[in-house]
C-alpha cells in the first residue's frame, strides 16, 4: 500500500493521486492533471508529481477544511522525496515543486502557478551550490517569493516590481539580466520586509507550510470575484471545483543544454500537418511569455538539440495517436533531458479545424464521425465571411451584439436612401440606425454592414443581414444616435460623425474606429469535403430562408435542399411596389383593393417565377403575407409632426386635409402591439383577395415553369394560425385558386398547403391543425416571443441584464429554449404526427441555423431545418453532429 | 300496430309520432312538439296531432328526400281522421290542420305557422255550413291561402294585402272586420289569380298536396338565409334540424263561448306567484297579436267563463308541478272547450327569476339545487345596475360591445379632465374616447359611463368600468371621433357634438341619441337568499379584483372573500403621484430613483393600509408593478409634435432642449410592443428598488394594522414570471424586506409570496415555479393574449369578424378558451400541485367573472376565482351552478 493511501483509508476518501496512478477523469483531476496523468501512463516523460482532486476543493467549500488532506499530502511529499531522491528543506539536495491550479474547464481569474516552492534561505544556498550558479538560484528564490507574496498573500505585483526598480536605479542598470546574485539577495531581503510589513507575519521559510498555504490559496481562488464572474458569464457550474497539481521543478535555464518551449502538433492557423512551435535555449517558460528574447522556430531545434528534437517528434506522434487530435504542448529540457509539462487539445482557426479533421481521416487517425464532431459549426462562419486581420491593430470604441458574422469597414451613414446612393457610386458605407425596418432594406443591400443601437440577435437588422450574408452589429446600446446632427456618441464620449470611417466586427459585436485590415474568406476543398461527409450522417434536411433569386442561388451553392421560408412581404418593400401596396391598404373597399392587387400580381408572379426556377427540383415554401399592414404605411408620428408643422406655417389647406385623411387611415390601422395584432392569416381572412392574389401569383409562375418542362414544387404556407378554422379558411382560397390556375394552364402540378406553428395555441391544438395541413413549419421566433411573452425587438435590454445576472443562460431568440418552447415543439410534433402520419415537419425560425437548437430539432424528430443561406453549411454540419451525438442514445 | 308504423318498419326508421305516443325528447320532437307530447301524456287537453321528427329534416338535407315519409304521413292523417271523425277534403266534415315548425331551439327566420290547411273551395263551403258562419269560413280560407302563398310559395305578403286594400277601397270600407263573406270570396278569387300569375301553377286544392308542400317548406326554411345567419350568430348547430307539427285546428272565433289567450303561470316581470295573462273572446291568436282589440286580463275570465277559467287554473297548477318551472302557455276555447296549444318555459326578468326560484323552494316545488340552476348568472347584472326602462322609446344610433353592464345618460365629453370638472359641478357626463388609458381614470370616475370607439371586452375601458360598476360601451367602431372638433359621427351619418346628450346601454352595447328613461337597480331579500344558498353549494372561493378601499367595500358587500388582485400601478396614476412616478422613471441612476421611490412609499403604504383594514380577516393579494414604465410618461408622438411646433415658432431654446431631453428618455423607454416588453417582474428585477419599496409599503401597512390588533393576510404576487429564476429573484427581495419590517415593528405576521401564471412558459414549467411559490393566480387576460398571439387592445376588429364569420364561437377574452388556454391552465394546475401540494390556485383574469369560465375553473380544480366587485354575485351563483352541474360527473 502506498503511503499516500494511509489516511484516506480512514476517512474513506482519497484526494491525492500521483501522475499515472489515477484513472484519467478530467472532472476529478482537472484538465491539467488529467493531461499529466495520461502522459505519465503512456510513457511520455513528465516531472514527477501528484494531483489533489477537485473533490478536495468541493469538500473545502462544503466544510471549510478537508479532513485528512494534510496528512495525505504529507504522505505524497514523502513519496515524492523517495522517488526523486530530493528532500523538502534539504540544503544538500532540495526538493522544489511547482503548484498549479487545474480546473475542469480552463478559467482566467484563478490562481495560476507558483514555481520553485520549497526554496528558503538554506535551500537557496544549496541550489546555488548544486547548480553551480548563484545568480540562477537567487533569481529562482526571489521569483518564488514574488509569486507567493502576490498570489498567496495578496500583495500587489507592483510593490515587488518597485523594489527591483529601486535596486536597478541604484545600480544604474536597465535590464533585470544585469542584476547579480548579490543584487537578488538584497532584493530578497527587501521582499521579505515588504511581506512582514503588509501581512504582519514573516515569510514562511518552512516548505511544508509554504505548500499548505499554496494549496489553500488555489482553493480560495476558485471563489474569487473574477472567477465567479467568469463562471457566470460562461455558464460554468460553481460545483465543478478545481484540482491542484504539485510537481517536481525542472529548469530550462540551467545552461545551453537546457531549454523551454511550446508547440502545436500541427499548424493551428492552417491545419497543415507540420510540427509548429517555438523554443528558447537556457530559459524558463516565463521568458518566452515576457518576450524579451525572441524564441526560435521549433524546426531549428533539429540542428541545435537533435536528440531532444527527435524525442519531441516521437512524443508529438505518440500524443496525436493517443489523443487523436491536435495537441498544444509545453516542454522543458533540463541538462538535455526532455520533460513534458502540459498537453491539451490545441485551439485552432476554422480553417485549421477543417483541414486537420479532413487530414486525420486520410491519415486514418480518426473516423469520419470523429472528424465531424471535432469542428465547431459556428466556426465555419469565419470561413464564409471577411474577418478582421488577427494581427491588425484595432481601436474598439463600443460593443454590441454579434448580429451577423463577418467584418466590414465603411463610411458612416444614417439613412437608407443615402446608403443606397453612395453604394451606387461604389462607396463603401456602414448603415447606422437606431433600428432597421423593412423600408431600410434597399440601404442595407447597398451597405457593407449595419450597426444598430437597439434590437436583439433576431431583430430585423440581424435577420436581414444574416440573410444577405452581411456583417451586422445590433443592440449596441453604448452608442447614442443623434440622427439630426448625423453623429453617434459612445458611452466613453467618442463622437463619430457622418462619413467617418468605422469597422464593425460581426463575430464579436465590436465597433472599431477607423479602417481595420480585413481578411478575405477562404472556402477550400476541405470545407466541401467535410460537409459532404456531414451530409452522409445527418438525418435532418437543410433548407434555406430566401426571398429572392439571389439569396436562393447563394443557398443552393451552400447546399440547401429547398427553400423553407420565402417571406413574400419582403417583395412589397421595393421602391416601385411600395406605393401600390400603400394604395391597396388605404383602399376602403374590396373593389379598390383588388384594383391595386391586380397591379401587384405580375410583380409578385415574376418573383416567384425566379425563385421556383432557381430552386427547380427542390421544394419552395411560400409564406403568405405576414406583417401587419401598417408596416407598409408612413409612420404615424411623422405624419402628426408634419401636419402640426404645416398648420403652424398656415400651409395649403387642401394639402393639410389630404395629409389628415391619410393620418386618419393610418390611425385606424395603428396598433398598440403590432406583433399581437392584425397580421398573418388574420389579414388573409379579413381580406381574402390578398390571399387569392398571392396564391394566383405563385401558381401562375409554377404553371408557366411546368410548361417550360421545369420541375417545381411549390408549397403554400399560412402564417399565424391559432385555430384549425383559420387554416381551413385560407386553405380553401389557396386550393380553389390553385385548381383554377392549373386548369387554366392545362398542366399537371403537385403542391402542398401547410402552416406555420408559431403560436402556443397552434402547438397545443396541433392534432386538429394537422388534419388540415400537409406540413408544419415551426416559426420559433414568434413561438419564443409568445411563450416567453416578450418580443425580440423589445426584450434586448433586459435579456442582456438577465444573462449577466445569471437569470438566463442564453438569449432564447438565438438558441431555442428547449425546456419551455421546446416542450411546445415536442408536443406539437407528437400531436401533429399522431393525427397525420404523413405530416412533414420543419423549422424556419432563426433557431434553424443554431447548432444547439439543431440538435434539439434532431431529437424532436423534425424532418428538416431551414436557415439563412449563410448558415446552411453550419446547419449541415450541426445536423450531422446531432445524428452522431444522439445515435448512442437512441 | 298503429297505421303510422307500417312503413317505418320497412325503412327501419320512424319519423312520425302522435302527441302523447313518444318519449318526450326535445332533440327529436323539437321544443313545441315536446310540449304538446308531454301535455297530452299528463292529460292536459291538446288538439290531436302528430310530430314529424327532426330526424326527417336531417334526412331531407342529407339525401334531398325522406324515403317513406310521405307514406308515414298518409298513415298519420288516416289515424287523425279516425280519431277526430273528420276527413281531409270532406265537405261534410272537413279535417283542418295547422302546420308549424318546431326547432329544438326557437329560432326566428324559420317558417312559423300555416293555419286552416285542408281548406279548398269544397271544404270552405262545408265549413260555412258547419259553423253556420259563412264570413268566418271564407275568412279562414283566405287566411290559409295568404299564409300558404306567402310561406310555401314565396309570394310577398304585400301582394295579398294590396288585393284586400283594393276591395276595401271599392267598398269604401276601412276595417277588415267590415268585409262580408262575398267580399272574402272575391278576394279569394283574386288571391288565386295572383298565385297562378306568380308561380305559373294553380293553388293546390288537394289537402294532401297542401300538406306535403307545407312540410317541405318547413324543412326548406331551416336553411334559409335568415335562419342560417341566426344560427351562426347564436352558435346553434346546423345539425339539429327542425320538427314539423301537424295538428287539428281549433277555433277561438266561433262565438262568445269561444276565446283565445296567452298566459304565464307567474308574473314574468316580478316573479310574483299570481296567474298572469290576457284573453280575447271570439278571436283567433292572430287577433291578440294584431292588437286591434284590447285583450282582457286573465283574472276577468273567472267571471266571464268560469268553467274554462277553473280548468285553466288547474292546468296551470298541473303544468307548474309537472315542469317545476314557470310556464308560458297558449290556449284556445272552442265552444266552451279548452285546448292548450303550447307550453314552454317562461322568459322572465332577473327579478322574476330570482323571486320565482326562492318562492318555489318555499313551495317545495323545486329543490335548492334546482333553484340555483334556474337563474342565469349574467342576468343578476340587471339587478345591480341601472337599466333602460323597457318601455322607453329609444333611438339607437350605433352599436358597440357591451363593455360593462348598466345604462347611463349624460352629456358627451371627449376629455377626462373636462369629465372630472363637469362631474364635480354635478353634471352627468358620458366620456367618449377612441380608447382609454390609465390617465383617463379620474375622468372615468367622474363620468356616468364611457363609450370608446376601439378595444374589446377586456380593453382598459371595459375592465376599469366593470371594476367601478359603471356602464360602458366599447369597440364601437361605427362611430368616428373628431377630437379636435369635439364631435363623433355614426356610420349612418349622425353627428353628435360636445355636450349633446346620449344614453348608452352597457347590456347591449347600444348607443342612443338623447336621454332615455332609466330604471334603478333593485336588490331585494330574494337576491341575498339565493346567493346564500349558492354559497352552500359552491366549492370555489370568490374574491374580488379591487385596488382601492372604495372598491373593496363594494366587493365585501357583494360577498367577496378577499382581494384576489390589487393592481398597485393604478395607485400611481393619481394626480399628485404621477409627477413623482415620472421623476422616478426619468432618473438615470439608482440613487435618484430611490429618492423618488421614498416619496411614493408613504402614499402607497396608506393605500395598502386602507385596503388591508377594509378586508381584515380576508387575504389580500397585492400584485407588484406590472405595466411598462412608459405608460406613466408623456406620449412620444405628442412630444414630437410639441417640439416640432416649438421649433417652427422659434421658441425658447432652453425649453426646447428640455423637451428634447425628455423625448430622448421617452424614446429610450419606447417599445414596439409594450405588452411584450419591459414590464412586470422584469422591471422589479432590473430595478430591484421598486420591488423593495412596494414590499416595504405593504408590510409596513400590515405591521401597523397588526399593532392595532387587526387581522391582516397580505399576499405578495409577482407578475409576468416566465422562469422560476425570476420568481426567486423577486421573492428574495420581498422576503428580506418583509422580515426586516416585521422585525422593526416587533409583530407577528404571516404572509404569502406567489406568482401570476400569465405566460405560456410559466404554465409549461409550473412544476419548477411551484417549488418557489405559495400560490398561483392565473392571469388569463395575458395568458389568452400570449396563447393566441393577439392582444385584447388590437384584436377587437378581427375577433368580431371571426365571430360573425363562424371562425370563432366567442371572444376568448370574455369567455375562456378552454381548448387552448384551458389546456395550459390544466397543465399548470397539475404540474404545480404535483410539485407543491399546498399550492393555492386561483384566477384573477377577467374570466373570473364569466359563468362559463367559472365552470371550467371548478372542473380544473382551482381554489377560487377573483373578479371585479360587481361580478362577485354572478361568480357566487355561477360557482354554485358549476358545483351542482359537475357533481354527477365526478
Amino acid at each position: 500500500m502506498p503511503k499516500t493511501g494511509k489516511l484516506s483509508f480512514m476517512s474513506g476518501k482519497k484526494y491525492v493521486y500521483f501522475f499515472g496512478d489515477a484513472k484519467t477523469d478530467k472532472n476529478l483531476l482537472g484538465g491539467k492533471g488529467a493531461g499529466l496523468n495520461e502522459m505519465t501512463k503512456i510513457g511520455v516523460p513528465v516531472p514527477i508529481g501528484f494531483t489533489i482532486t477537485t473533490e478536495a476543493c468541493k469538500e473545502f467549500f462544503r466544510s471549510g477544511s478537508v479532513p485528512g488532506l494534510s496528512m495525505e499530502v504529507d504522505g505524497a511529499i514523502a513519496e515524492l522525496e523517495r522517488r526523486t531522491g530530493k528532500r523538502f528543506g534539504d540544503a544538500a539536495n532540495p526538493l522544489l515543486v511547482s503548484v498549479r491550479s487545474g480546473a475542469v474547464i480552463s478559467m482566467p481569474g484563478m490562481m495560476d502557478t507558483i514555481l520553485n516552492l520549497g526554496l528558503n534561505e538554506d535551500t537557496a544556498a544549496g541550489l546555488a551550490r548544486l547548480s553551480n550558479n548563484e545568480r540562477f538560484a537567487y533569481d529562482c528564490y526571489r521569483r518564488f517569493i514574488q509569486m507567493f507574496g502576490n498570489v498567496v498573500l495578496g500583495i500587489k505585483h507592483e510593490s515587488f516590481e518597485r523594489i527591483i526598480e529601486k535596486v536597478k536605479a541604484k545600480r544604474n542598470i536597465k535590464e533585470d539580466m544585469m542584476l547579480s546574485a548579490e543584487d537578488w539577495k538584497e532584493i530578497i531581503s527587501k521582499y521579505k520586509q515588504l511581506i512582514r510589513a503588509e501581512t504582519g507575519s514573516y515569510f514562511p521559510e518552512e516548505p511544508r507550510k509554504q505548500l499548505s498555504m499554496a494549496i489553500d490559496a488555489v482553493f480560495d481562488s476558485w471563489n474569487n470575484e473574477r472567477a465567479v464572474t467568469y463562471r457566470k458569464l460562461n455558464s460554468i457550474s460553481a460545483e465543478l471545483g478545481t484540482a491542484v497539481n504539485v510537481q517536481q521543478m525542472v529548469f530550462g535555464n540551467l545552461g545551453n543544454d537546457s531549454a523551454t518551449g511550446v508547440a502545436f502538433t500541427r499548424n493551428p492557423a492552417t491545419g497543415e500537418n507540420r510540427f509548429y512551435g517555438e523554443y528558447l535555449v537556457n530559459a524558463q517558460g516565463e521568458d518566452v511569455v515576457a518576450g524579451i528574447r525572441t524564441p526560435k522556430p521549433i524546426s531549428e531545434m533539429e540542428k541545435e538539440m537533435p536528440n531532444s528534437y527527435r524525442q519531441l517528434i516521437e512524443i508529438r506522434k505518440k500524443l496525436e495517436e493517443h489523443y487523436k487530435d491536435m495537441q498544444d504542448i509545453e516542454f522543458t529540457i533540463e541538462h538535455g533531458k526532455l520533460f513534458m509539462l502540459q498537453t491539451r487539445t490545441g485551439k485552432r482557426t476554422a480553417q485549421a479545424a477543417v483541414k486537420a479533421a479532413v487530414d486525420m481521416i486520410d491519415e486514418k487517425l480518426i473516423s469520419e464521425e470523429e472528424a465531424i464532431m471535432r469542428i465547431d459549426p459556428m466556426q465555419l462562419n469565419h470561413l464564409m465571411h471577411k474577418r478582421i486581420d488577427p494581427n491588425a491593430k484595432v481601436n474598439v470604441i463600443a460593443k454590441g451584439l454579434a448580429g451577423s458574422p463577418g467584418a466590414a469597414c465603411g463610411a458612416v451613414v444614417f439613412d437608407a436612401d443615402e446608403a443606397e446612393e453612395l453604394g451606387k457610386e461604389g462607396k463603401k458605407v456602414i448603415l447606422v440606425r437606431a433600428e432597421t425596418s423593412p423600408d431600410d432594406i434597399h440601404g442595407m443591400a447597398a451597405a457593407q454592414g449595419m450597426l444598430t443601437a437597439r434590437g436583439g440577435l433576431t431583430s430585423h437588422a440581424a435577420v436581414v443581414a444574416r440573410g444577405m450574408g452581411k456583417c451586422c452589429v445590433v443592440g449596441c446600446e453604448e452608442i447614442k444616435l443623434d440622427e439630426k446632427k448625423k453623429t453617434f456618441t459612445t458611452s466613453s464620449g467618442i463622437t463619430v460623425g457622418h462619413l467617418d470611417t468605422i469597422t464593425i466586427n460581426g463575430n464579436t459585436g465590436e465597433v472599431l474606429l477607423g479602417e481595420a485590415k480585413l481578411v478575405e474568406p477562404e472556402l477550400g476543398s476541405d470545407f466541401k469535403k467535410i460537409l459532404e461527409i456531414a451530409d452522409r450522417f445527418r438525418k435532418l434536411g437543410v433548407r434555406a430562408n430566401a426571398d429572392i433569386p439571389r439569396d436562393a442561388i447563394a443557398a443552393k451553392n451552400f447546399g440547401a435542399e429547398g427553400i423553407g421560408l420565402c417571406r413574400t412581404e419582403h417583395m412589397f418593400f421595393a421602391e416601385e411596389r411600395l406605393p401600390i401596396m400603400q394604395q391597396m391598404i388605404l383602399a376602403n373597399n374590396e373593389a379598390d383593393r383588388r384594383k391595386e392587387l391586380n397591379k401587384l400580381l405580375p410583380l409578385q408572379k415574376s418573383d416567384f417565377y425566379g425563385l421556383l426556377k432557381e430552386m427547380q427540383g427542390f421544394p419552395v415554401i411560400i409564406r403568405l403575407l405576414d406583417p401587419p399592414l401598417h408596416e407598409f404605411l408612413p409612420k404615424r408620428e411623422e405624419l402628426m409632426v408634419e401636419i402640426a408643422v404645416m398648420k403652424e406655417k398656415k400651409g395649403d389647406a387642401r394639402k393639410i386635409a389630404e395629409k389628415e385623411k391619410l393620418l386618419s387611415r393610418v390611425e385606424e390601422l395603428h396598433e398598440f402591439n403590432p406583433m399581437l395584432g392584425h397580421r398573418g392569416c388574420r389579414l388573409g381572412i379579413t381580406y381574402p383577395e390578398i390571399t387569392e392574389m398571392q396564391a394566383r401569383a405563385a401558381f401562375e409562375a409554377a404553371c408557366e415553369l411546368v410548361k417550360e418542362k421545369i420541375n417545381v414544387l411549390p408549397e403554400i404556407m399560412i402564417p399565424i394560425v391559432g385555430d384549425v378554422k383559420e387554416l381551413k379558411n385560407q386553405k380553401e382560397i389557396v386550393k380553389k385558386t390553385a385548381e383554377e390556375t392549373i386548369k387554366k394552364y392545362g398542366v399537371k402540378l403537385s403542391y402542398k398547403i401547410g402552416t406555420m406553428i408559431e403560436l402556443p395555441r397552434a402547438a397545443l391544438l396541433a392534432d386538429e391543425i394537422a388534419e388540415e395541413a400537409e406540413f408544419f413549419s415551426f416559426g420559433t421566433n414568434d413561438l419564443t416571443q409568445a411563450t416567453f411573452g416578450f418580443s425580440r425587438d423589445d426584450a434586448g435590454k433586459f435579456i442582456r441584464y438577465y444573462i449577466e445576472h445569471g437569470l438566463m443562460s442564453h438569449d432564447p431568440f438565438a438558441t431555442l429554449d428547449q425546456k419551455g418552447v421546446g416542450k411546445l415543439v415536442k408536443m406539437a410534433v407528437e400531436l401533429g404526427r399522431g393525427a397525420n402520419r404523413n405530416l412533414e415537419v420543419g423549422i424556419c425560425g432563426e433557431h434553424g441555423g443554431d447548432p444547439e437548437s439543431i440538435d434539439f430539432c434532431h431529437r424532436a424528430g423534425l424532418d428538416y431545418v431551414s436557415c439563412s443561406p449563410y448558415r446552411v453549411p453550419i446547419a449541415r454540419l450541426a445536423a450531422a453532429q446531432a445524428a452522431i451525438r444522439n445515435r448512442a442514445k437512441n
Side-chain angles (χ1 to χ4, degrees), chain A:
Chain A
M1 196 207 272
K3 286 183 185 175
T4 52
K6 204 163 61 177
L7 254 128
S8 61
F9 178 74
M10 286 171 64
S11 72
K13 284 236 173 166
K14 181 166 161 61
Y15 293 117
V16 177
Y17 292 90
F18 264 83
F19 302 154
D21 285 359
K23 207 178 123 239
T24 296
D25 173 359
K26 222 172 153 183
N27 284 319
L28 187 71
L29 304 176
K32 194 187 294 278
L36 293 167
N37 184 65
E38 195 65 12
M39 284 197 287
T40 307
K41 276 191 162 178
I42 62 171
V44 169
V46 168
I48 303 170
F50 56 85
T51 302
I52 302 167
T53 67
T54 55
E55 287 298 323
C57 177
K58 289 180 206 172
E59 186 57 35
F60 182 81
F61 283 109
R62 254 196 305 270
S63 31
S65 72
V66 191
L69 179 63
S70 79
M71 293 196 66
E72 219 185 326
V73 170
D74 284 351
I77 290 295
E79 175 69 10
L80 194 59
E81 288 174 338
R82 199 184 61 71
R83 292 201 197 175
T84 57
K86 299 167 188 256
R87 291 179 57 112
F88 249 178
D90 181 355
N93 196 11
L95 172 66
L96 304 184
V97 298
S98 64
V99 177
R100 289 183 171 97
S101 72
V104 179
I105 296 159
S106 147
M107 234 173 65
M110 287 195 55
M111 198 208 89
D112 188 23
T113 302
I114 294 176
L115 297 177
N116 307 336
L117 185 142
L119 283 176
N120 55 21
E121 290 298 327
D122 286 356
T123 53
L127 183 63
R129 280 193 300 277
L130 273 174
S131 64
N132 203 16
N133 186 339
E134 200 178 18
R135 193 193 172 281
F136 158 72
Y138 285 97
D139 185 15
C140 282
Y141 189 22
R142 75 89 193 173
R143 282 180 198 238
F144 167 52
I145 298 171
Q146 193 168 341
M147 282 191 245
F148 191 91
N150 177 236
V151 299
V152 179
L153 304 176
I155 298 165
K156 278 188 190 149
H157 195 69
E158 298 80 56
S159 307
F160 293 105
E161 287 300 326
R162 224 176 292 128
I163 291 169
I164 298 183
E165 290 311 316
K166 274 190 187 160
V167 173
K168 284 202 289 193
K170 206 164 68 182
R171 298 279 181 281
N172 205 11
I173 283 174
K174 283 206 175 135
E175 301 292 337
D176 288 8
M177 303 281 289
M178 309 294 289
L179 288 166
S180 66
E182 287 314 309
D183 293 336
W184 286 128
K185 282 183 193 169
E186 185 187 336
I187 287 167
I188 286 164
S189 155
K190 292 206 164 122
Y191 273 12
K192 288 187 174 179
Q193 284 164 25
L194 171 69
I195 285 168
R196 177 94 169 94
E198 293 249 340
T199 67
S201 305
Y202 290 103
F203 172 76
E205 299 278 337
E206 217 289 295
R208 304 268 164 125
K209 175 80 181 159
Q210 293 170 355
L211 181 60
S212 85
M213 286 174 79
I215 291 169
D216 284 357
V218 172
F219 286 162
D220 278 331
S221 72
W222 175 251
N223 268 351
N224 73 26
E225 206 175 318
R226 262 185 75 200
V228 169
T229 304
Y230 183 85
R231 281 202 296 274
K232 269 199 181 158
L233 287 178
N234 292 278
S235 313
I236 299 172
S237 165
E239 301 297 307
L240 290 172
T242 182
V244 186
N245 296 295
V246 180
Q247 189 175 21
Q248 184 195 2
M249 284 297 304
V250 288
F251 298 97
N253 51 351
L254 281 176
N256 285 339
D257 60 349
S258 298
T260 191
V262 294
F264 285 81
T265 55
R266 301 183 183 222
N267 186 323
T270 65
E272 202 185 0
N273 187 4
R274 281 181 60 179
F275 200 28
Y276 179 92
E278 312 173 313
Y279 73 108
L280 264 178
V281 171
N282 196 11
Q284 272 198 311
E286 281 182 292
D287 302 328
V288 181
V289 177
I292 297 160
R293 287 162 58 196
T294 304
K296 301 178 186 170
I298 201 90
S299 54
E300 288 191 16
M301 202 174 154
E302 189 169 5
K303 276 186 199 148
E304 201 170 14
M305 304 178 95
N307 281 338
S308 294
Y309 184 74
R310 206 165 40 248
Q311 209 182 339
L312 202 54
I313 289 295
E314 267 162 37
I315 288 170
R316 173 204 171 206
K317 191 160 175 265
K318 200 168 197 171
L319 288 175
E320 272 214 346
E321 276 172 3
H322 184 71
Y323 285 103
K324 297 179 187 299
D325 200 357
M326 178 203 294
Q327 294 296 298
D328 167 2
I329 57 176
E330 289 177 24
F331 62 90
T332 287
I333 300 165
E334 183 184 88
H335 291 315
K337 192 164 165 13
L338 176 68
F339 292 97
M340 302 305 296
L341 299 183
Q342 172 148 312
T343 188
R344 60 183 173 189
T345 307
K347 282 206 167 39
R348 66 205 79 179
T349 64
Q351 192 194 345
V354 172
K355 175 157 181 55
V358 171
D359 283 355
M360 284 182 189
I361 298 172
D362 294 342
E363 294 162 23
K364 307 218 184 305
L365 198 59
I366 57 174
S367 66
E368 288 182 340
E369 287 96 319
E370 284 169 314
I372 290 294
M373 294 310 287
R374 192 150 288 171
I375 301 164
D376 174 2
M378 292 308 287
Q379 253 195 332
L380 296 186
N381 263 329
H382 300 306
L383 300 183
M384 291 184 287
H385 298 93
K386 285 185 189 173
R387 62 206 156 91
I388 294 171
D389 186 332
N391 303 315
K393 273 204 180 166
V394 297
N395 177 10
V396 177
I397 57 169
K399 193 159 190 252
L401 303 174
S404 177
C409 298
V412 168
V413 295
F414 296 91
D415 178 276
D417 293 334
E418 189 183 4
E420 194 182 30
E421 216 170 283
L422 294 178
K424 276 183 191 161
E425 293 170 14
K427 196 162 169 66
K428 291 186 175 181
V429 298
I430 304 288
L431 179 60
V432 180
R433 305 276 295 153
E435 68 266 352
T436 64
S437 73
D439 36 78
D440 291 323
I441 287 191
H442 60 294
M444 297 170 82
Q448 300 296 303
M450 278 70 71
L451 166 62
T452 71
R454 293 206 215 142
L457 290 175
T458 46
S459 62
H460 178 264
V463 171
V464 173
R466 286 199 290 272
M468 293 177 169
K470 291 205 180 202
C471 164
C472 179
V473 170
V474 293
C476 186
E477 305 211 348
E478 292 175 16
I479 65 169
K480 290 225 182 195
L481 258 69
D482 188 327
E483 290 187 25
K484 272 165 219 147
K485 285 195 194 148
K486 293 197 177 183
T487 60
F488 70 81
T489 305
T490 68
S491 55
S492 59
I494 299 166
T495 295
V496 177
H498 181 229
L499 298 183
D500 286 357
T501 299
I502 61 169
T503 303
I504 55 177
N505 185 341
N507 300 321
T508 62
E510 286 169 338
V511 181
L512 284 53
L513 194 61
E515 180 171 349
K517 194 184 165 200
L518 303 187
V519 180
E520 288 296 320
E522 306 142 84
L523 284 185
S525 60
D526 294 321
F527 178 84
K528 290 214 176 82
K529 189 157 181 193
I530 207 78
L531 289 178
E532 280 164 20
I533 296 169
D535 288 346
R536 277 191 274 115
F537 286 99
R538 67 183 161 92
K539 300 272 181 288
L540 283 167
V542 176
R543 300 185 187 176
N545 300 347
D547 310 332
I548 51 172
R550 188 188 63 207
D551 293 349
I553 294 169
K556 214 166 62 173
N557 289 341
F558 283 131
E561 302 154 323
I563 301 295
L565 174 64
C566 161
R567 304 175 199 87
T568 55
E569 60 271 18
H570 283 185
M571 303 173 173
F572 295 135
F573 288 106
E575 211 175 332
E576 72 280 18
R577 301 179 183 188
L578 194 54
I580 309 177
M581 189 72 186
Q582 292 186 338
Q583 283 309 312
M584 193 276 284
I585 298 166
L586 293 170
N588 276 317
N589 55 61
E590 193 188 317
D592 286 355
R593 228 172 358 255
R594 281 194 185 271
K595 212 174 75 190
E596 302 302 326
L597 285 169
N598 284 341
K599 292 184 200 156
L600 288 172
L601 177 67
L603 302 170
Q604 182 125 72
K605 179 176 157 184
S606 80
D607 293 328
F608 292 144
Y609 180 91
L611 206 59
L612 286 165
K613 187 168 185 176
E614 207 50 67
M615 294 308 288
Q616 54 188 279
F618 289 121
V620 173
I621 295 186
I622 293 168
R623 180 180 68 183
L624 301 182
L625 192 65
D626 185 55
L629 292 180
H630 67 65
E631 273 199 15
F632 299 95
L633 292 180
K635 286 206 178 109
R636 178 170 159 262
E637 57 273 27
E638 286 172 6
L639 271 174
M640 287 168 81
V641 168
E642 212 178 321
I643 291 168
V645 170
M646 279 165 90
K647 282 186 172 173
E648 192 54 43
K649 280 184 173 166
K650 307 225 186 301
D652 181 349
R654 238 187 44 201
K655 274 191 188 160
I656 292 175
E658 233 168 63
K659 285 273 175 197
E660 279 184 331
K661 204 178 138 195
L662 179 60
L663 174 61
S664 128
R665 182 79 179 129
V666 170
E667 289 277 10
E668 266 178 57
L669 291 167
H670 174 68
E671 295 182 309
F672 298 105
N673 300 281
M675 277 292 179
L676 299 174
H678 198 179
R679 57 185 285 239
C681 71
R682 298 161 193 163
L683 285 174
I685 287 168
T686 50
Y687 302 124
E689 53 276 13
I690 299 180
T691 299
E692 201 189 306
M693 182 280 282
Q694 291 204 291
R696 194 170 311 281
F699 288 106
E700 287 195 356
C703 288
E704 282 185 11
L705 285 161
V706 172
K707 284 216 152 177
E708 295 170 30
K709 311 264 179 247
I710 288 168
N711 177 19
V712 292
L713 300 166
E715 307 191 357
I716 305 293
M717 180 155 71
I718 316 295
I720 311 281
V721 164
D723 192 280
V724 66
K725 285 183 189 161
E726 295 177 312
L727 175 57
K728 255 181 170 166
N729 172 297
Q730 292 291 284
K731 189 178 156 183
E732 268 171 35
I733 299 173
V734 173
K735 206 162 177 170
K736 186 166 164 276
T737 310
E739 298 307 328
E740 277 171 16
T741 311
I742 291 169
K743 205 172 152 192
K744 185 176 116 190
Y745 281 82
V747 294
K748 280 202 173 181
L749 172 69
S750 60
Y751 61 94
K752 287 184 180 173
I753 303 175
T755 184
M756 298 274 278
I757 300 289
E758 51 187 335
L759 298 174
R761 197 170 189 277
L764 290 163
L765 301 176
D767 42 355
E768 288 188 3
I769 292 173
E771 285 180 13
E772 294 292 330
E774 288 172 282
F775 61 87
F776 278 1
S777 179
F778 287 100
T780 45
N781 300 345
D782 272 281
L783 193 60
T784 297
Q785 177 171 291
T787 306
F788 276 92
F790 50 61
S791 87
R792 57 190 200 194
D793 292 321
D794 301 304
K797 268 183 267 183
F798 58 83
I799 286 183
R800 198 184 299 184
Y801 183 98
Y802 273 28
I803 292 173
E804 279 167 11
H805 291 75
L807 282 140
M808 218 176 233
S809 60
H810 61 263
D811 180 346
F813 289 112
T815 296
L816 192 83
D817 162 48
Q818 299 187 14
K819 236 167 43 169
V821 180
K823 196 169 181 174
L824 281 177
V825 170
K826 276 195 236 160
M827 194 184 294
V829 173
E830 256 170 57
L831 289 172
R833 291 245 174 85
N836 177 355
R837 273 183 49 209
N838 298 319
L839 191 74
E840 184 189 69
V841 184
I843 179 176
C844 64
E846 281 295 306
H847 302 100
D850 170 68
E852 210 176 302
S853 311
I854 290 170
D855 190 88
F856 170 83
C857 292
H858 174 89
R859 282 182 278 119
L862 264 54
D863 294 310
Y864 68 86
V865 298
S866 185
C867 53
S868 59
Y870 281 78
R871 285 254 168 147
V872 167
I874 294 169
R876 287 164 72 192
L877 182 57
Q881 291 185 345
I884 294 166
R885 189 179 298 122
N886 295 289
R887 201 158 44 179
K889 300 172 197 165
N890 297 342

